[in-house]
Amino acid sequence: MANPRITATGITTTLGPNGSLPLRREIRDLQANFKDQFNLYLLGLVDLQKKPVKELLSYYQLAGIHGEPYVAWNGVTGNPNARFGGYCTHSSILFLTWHRPYLALYEQALYASVQKVAGQFAEPLRTRYLAAAKDFRLPYWDWAARITRGTSAFPAAVSSSTIKVIDVDGVEKPINNPLYSFRFNDKAIPTELALDSRWRQFPNTKRAPDSSGNSQNGVVSQVITNENESLRTNVSLILLSYTHFDAFSNNAWLEDEDAGAYGSLEDLHGEIHDKVGEGGHMGSLAVSAFDPVFWMHHTNVDRLWAIWQALHPNAYVIDKVSQAAEANFTISAGARISGTTDLKPWYDSSATKFWNSNGVKYTTPFGHAYPETQRWLYPNDQAYQAAVTNEVVRQYGANRITSFFTNLAASAAPPKEASTAAASKQTPVATASVANKFAHLVPNRMYTEWITNLRTLKHGLNQTFRVFVFLGDFNPDPKTWPTEFNVVGRFTVLGRGDDTPCEKCQQDQESELVITGTVPLTSALLQDIVAGQLASLEPADVEGYLERNLHWRVTLFDGSEKPREEVPGLKVSVVSTKVRIGDDGIPVYSGVYDTHPGITDGRPAGLTPGDRV
């Protein structure tokens, strides 16, 4: 009898009386406030990582679905007469929708291990941990969360090699942290499931490996923390100002779009892959899913999509002809991609049909929600959307930029009739002297947002590479660039080599797929204004300043420099748009973008007048 098909259903869940669902929680929140679930998460992950490699729901095989070893999973093959080349949907409108059931499948496998471990405790701990296990859901790592000075954006629960747990015997003890790395058991991996020779040399997953192959999580922490503000601004930008799913979801260049559509959730996703990997597993899509942080990272990507969906409920449109850039092992070039296109290899609960994008639009079918998407708490959609908007502004928009401008605008605004107590409560953070000094930055509650737009051939260098964007001087040694004080952000290109078995990557190479990304500049410019180096955010001041101080450099996967002019298709430009600060502090983007070619014209890979934007 044939083995039954595995379905990607997530965790079977009965809605609460008001329609509530268990929440996927941020890893630091889980560790601090849901200690039993966090403890079970670690123990369950240890159990899952030990499952035999040949099991389809083993950690190894679940990770392998994403790329290597490029073996068909669960009996799902692709186009007739084509050799298997993976199910990759990167740089595709299916990027987000394909990964949602993938996460649900991983979550159900991890959930099973969590239940198993909870049942191994002796009473009275068993009852307590079984109760905690019931509502366990996969945590996410919010890599754009606001951090305070002196703290790291990379959670200690992920970066520490050992961690304490209460084991099933009831004793607290240190263990090898299963979130730190995944250890490969070479003796148990059959040849047909082995990774390629480059990655087989590592006994476990690596982050920012040094010359001896040792992970440097401290470097990863520095890199992610250093670019936190630019990253948060980017999250706010795409959540609040992007209104088309195709532009928001993936990084393929939309040539018919304007200059305001270069960013995407996939672009931010690639940036995190690169920052955590820094030459290690996360920086290569072929093996990134083996790093345990991959799952928390992608769960956050899924969360940000769920938030965007709540803000733009009518913007979900998947309907286009699949050019080579959309084709993969299971989708033929020229086929129409729509909401009913099969998301292989993910069978739905029927075990006879595959999930499609229409079916995965919301997280409800998979048995969970996120802290921001608790629709059941609100009487109507309007109240729900207002609450989600406020959360986005609180978490990502209320950074130094928006707070600074909001306070200035509030200081400059005519006083409203209010009681003394109310007026005192609304007193802006900015002092009157500061407000007077910088009030010119927000005339009529408006300011100018500045953004670096970048595009390039995705597979032009046959490997992952990144473009660093600096504002000000920097050390000429490329080894220092990831942690340079004046680095504003990066544009990461998760490219593959000519020899990749990835079917879609081969198609993308042949079609010369171009991808895009953004690095916001306003936060860095504001720092220079406060320092007295720049007068305002108006083009008359900023254009010349950026001509002198904006720089970009390219490094390859191994961190070595690549001359900018030798990167196929690389184009760097600067655009600006007007933003109005509402009475509620919420930024409203004009949607009109001006291009400033003079800033980059004449420099390697710079946009020149007449170039397509």
Side-chain angles (χ1 to χ4, degrees):
M1 182 177 177
N3 292 328
R5 289 169 173 167
I6 294 174
T7 58
T9 56
I11 300 166
T12 303
T13 307
T14 301
L15 297 179
N18 60 349
S20 63
L21 286 164
L23 302 183
R24 286 178 172 175
R25 302 185 185 278
E26 212 279 334
I27 183 64
R28 285 160 288 202
D29 178 38
L30 190 74
Q31 183 178 19
N33 302 311
F34 302 88
K35 296 183 185 298
D36 287 351
Q37 287 191 348
F38 179 72
N39 193 66
L40 289 172
Y41 176 41
L42 297 173
L43 294 177
L45 188 53
V46 168
D47 180 78
L48 181 61
Q49 290 181 355
K50 288 181 178 178
K51 286 191 177 298
V53 169
K54 290 186 178 181
E55 290 188 18
L56 289 178
L57 289 179
S58 66
Y59 185 93
Y60 186 91
Q61 287 221 28
L62 288 169
I65 298 170
H66 195 258
E68 290 191 28
Y70 296 114
V71 174
W73 184 83
N74 201 19
V76 179
T77 56
N79 297 321
N81 304 318
R83 69 185 179 88
F84 184 76
Y87 306 101
C88 171
T89 60
H90 298 93
S91 303
S92 160
I93 198 170
L94 301 179
F95 165 68
L96 293 176
T97 62
W98 184 87
H99 280 83
R100 178 162 284 175
Y102 186 26
L103 289 170
L105 178 72
Y106 176 79
E107 185 172 50
Q108 71 197 53
L110 179 59
Y111 184 82
S113 285
V114 165
Q115 304 308 307
K116 171 186 169 184
V117 169
Q120 292 174 348
F121 282 87
E123 292 293 4
L125 289 178
R126 180 186 298 158
T127 298
R128 171 179 142 190
Y129 278 108
L130 284 173
K134 182 176 179 293
D135 285 340
F136 172 83
R137 295 296 184 270
L138 186 63
Y140 62 90
W141 164 40
D142 183 3
W143 24 258
R146 180 169 48 225
I147 56 173
T148 57
R149 184 180 297 275
T151 60
S152 172
F154 198 45
V158 180
S159 63
S160 302
S161 60
T162 61
I163 196 164
K164 288 185 177 181
V165 298
I166 298 176
D167 209 345
V168 294
D169 59 6
V171 178
E172 185 180 57
K173 62 187 68 170
I175 63 169
N176 291 327
N177 187 357
L179 296 174
Y180 179 78
S181 68
F182 170 67
R183 181 164 293 278
F184 300 99
N185 184 355
D186 289 342
K187 294 181 180 179
I189 301 174
T191 302
E192 66 272 16
L193 292 179
L195 304 183
D196 69 49
S197 57
R198 176 179 191 175
W199 296 107
R200 272 203 307 272
Q201 64 180 304
F202 296 106
N204 59 293
T205 53
K206 303 294 183 181
R207 299 171 187 155
D210 60 19
S211 57
S212 299
N214 299 309
S215 287
Q216 302 179 91
N217 279 259
V219 171
V220 175
S221 177
Q222 273 187 282
V223 169
I224 294 173
T225 303
N226 195 36
E227 299 176 36
N228 176 258
E229 193 156 332
S230 174
L231 184 61
R232 292 179 59 244
T233 304
N234 233 338
V235 168
S236 177
L237 180 71
I238 66 169
L239 288 178
L240 296 178
S241 73
Y242 280 46
T243 58
H244 294 95
F245 183 74
D246 201 354
F248 164 81
S249 66
N250 71 97
N251 61 13
W253 184 28
L254 302 175
E255 300 181 44
D256 57 342
E257 291 285 350
D258 60 25
Y262 268 52
S264 68
L265 185 49
E266 185 177 11
D267 172 44
L268 299 184
H269 141 274
E271 183 180 331
I272 299 303
H273 270 279
D274 184 37
K275 288 178 178 178
V276 175
E278 289 291 332
H281 287 74
M282 269 288 281
S284 170
L285 288 181
V287 293
S288 60
F290 289 99
D291 188 323
V293 79
F294 169 94
W295 305 99
M296 287 187 290
H297 164 44
H298 266 275
T299 305
N300 191 51
V301 171
D302 186 79
R303 163 182 164 265
L304 293 175
W305 169 28
I307 291 172
W308 183 87
Q309 191 64 47
L311 295 175
H312 309 281
N314 300 316
Y316 187 71
V317 177
I318 298 179
D319 185 19
K320 64 189 299 185
V321 174
S322 64
Q323 306 300 325
E326 297 283 348
N328 64 16
F329 180 62
T330 62
I331 299 174
S332 300
R336 179 163 290 279
I337 293 178
S338 70
T340 61
T341 299
D342 287 343
L343 299 175
K344 295 181 178 180
W346 317 127
Y347 281 106
D348 65 15
S349 58
S350 72
T352 60
K353 302 190 305 295
F354 295 99
W355 283 104
N356 59 41
S357 296
N358 288 342
V360 305
K361 182 178 180 180
Y362 300 106
T363 65
T364 306
F366 300 107
H368 68 268
Y370 293 102
E372 300 84 358
T373 63
Q374 300 178 67
R375 172 63 182 83
W376 59 87
L377 296 179
Y378 304 94
N380 53 55
D381 290 343
Q382 184 177 5
Y384 174 49
Q385 289 173 22
V388 176
T389 301
N390 286 328
E391 270 302 291
V392 170
V393 173
R394 184 185 71 81
Q395 294 183 53
Y396 307 114
N399 53 18
R400 183 184 305 158
I401 307 170
T402 308
S403 293
F404 191 81
F405 290 148
T406 301
N407 292 329
L408 290 178
S411 300
K416 297 181 180 180
E417 294 184 9
S419 67
T420 303
S424 176
K425 189 175 182 180
Q426 297 172 5
T427 299
V429 176
T431 63
S433 60
V434 172
N436 291 334
K437 182 176 181 180
F438 297 108
H440 65 285
L441 297 178
V442 283
N444 301 315
R445 305 180 71 91
M446 300 281 290
Y447 74 92
T448 305
E449 184 83 58
W450 292 86
I451 301 165
T452 311
N453 275 355
L454 305 100
R455 72 170 188 259
T456 190
L457 291 182
K458 182 173 182 178
H459 302 288
L461 294 180
N462 295 314
Q463 60 179 291
T464 291
F465 63 97
R466 77 282 299 172
V467 184
F468 289 103
V469 175
F470 304 91
L471 189 59
D473 296 333
F474 58 95
N475 191 316
D477 181 1
K479 293 180 181 178
T480 69
W481 294 348
T483 55
E484 276 282 333
F485 176 77
N486 283 332
V487 67
V488 182
R490 70 175 68 186
F491 168 50
T492 294
V493 183
L494 298 174
R496 307 279 186 100
D498 288 327
D499 58 348
T500 177
C502 170
E503 188 82 9
K504 184 178 187 302
C505 305
Q506 294 173 358
Q507 296 274 7
D508 291 347
Q509 285 177 321
E510 293 173 6
S511 65
E512 298 188 332
L513 170 69
V514 175
I515 64 170
T516 62
T518 55
V519 175
L521 296 171
T522 312
S523 174
L525 290 171
L526 185 62
Q527 293 181 51
D528 292 348
I529 289 174
V530 172
Q533 299 170 1
L534 178 64
S536 78
L537 289 174
E538 294 304 306
D541 293 317
V542 174
E543 285 184 334
Y545 189 78
L546 290 180
E547 285 181 37
R548 298 187 299 273
N549 294 287
L550 183 69
H551 307 285
W552 55 94
R553 294 293 186 273
V554 179
T555 60
L556 300 175
F557 186 76
D558 63 2
S560 60
E561 183 176 6
K562 181 72 174 178
R564 294 164 289 172
E565 62 273 17
E566 295 180 11
V567 181
L570 179 61
K571 283 291 180 181
V572 180
S573 60
V574 175
V575 299
S576 66
T577 187
K578 289 292 185 181
V579 183
R580 177 174 61 83
I581 299 296
D583 292 341
D584 52 7
I586 294 174
V588 180
Y589 295 83
S590 70
V592 177
Y593 286 79
D594 295 319
T595 305
H596 306 271
I599 295 173
T600 59
D601 183 24
R603 291 196 272 172
L607 189 77
T608 59
D611 280 342
R612 296 181 64 187
V613 175

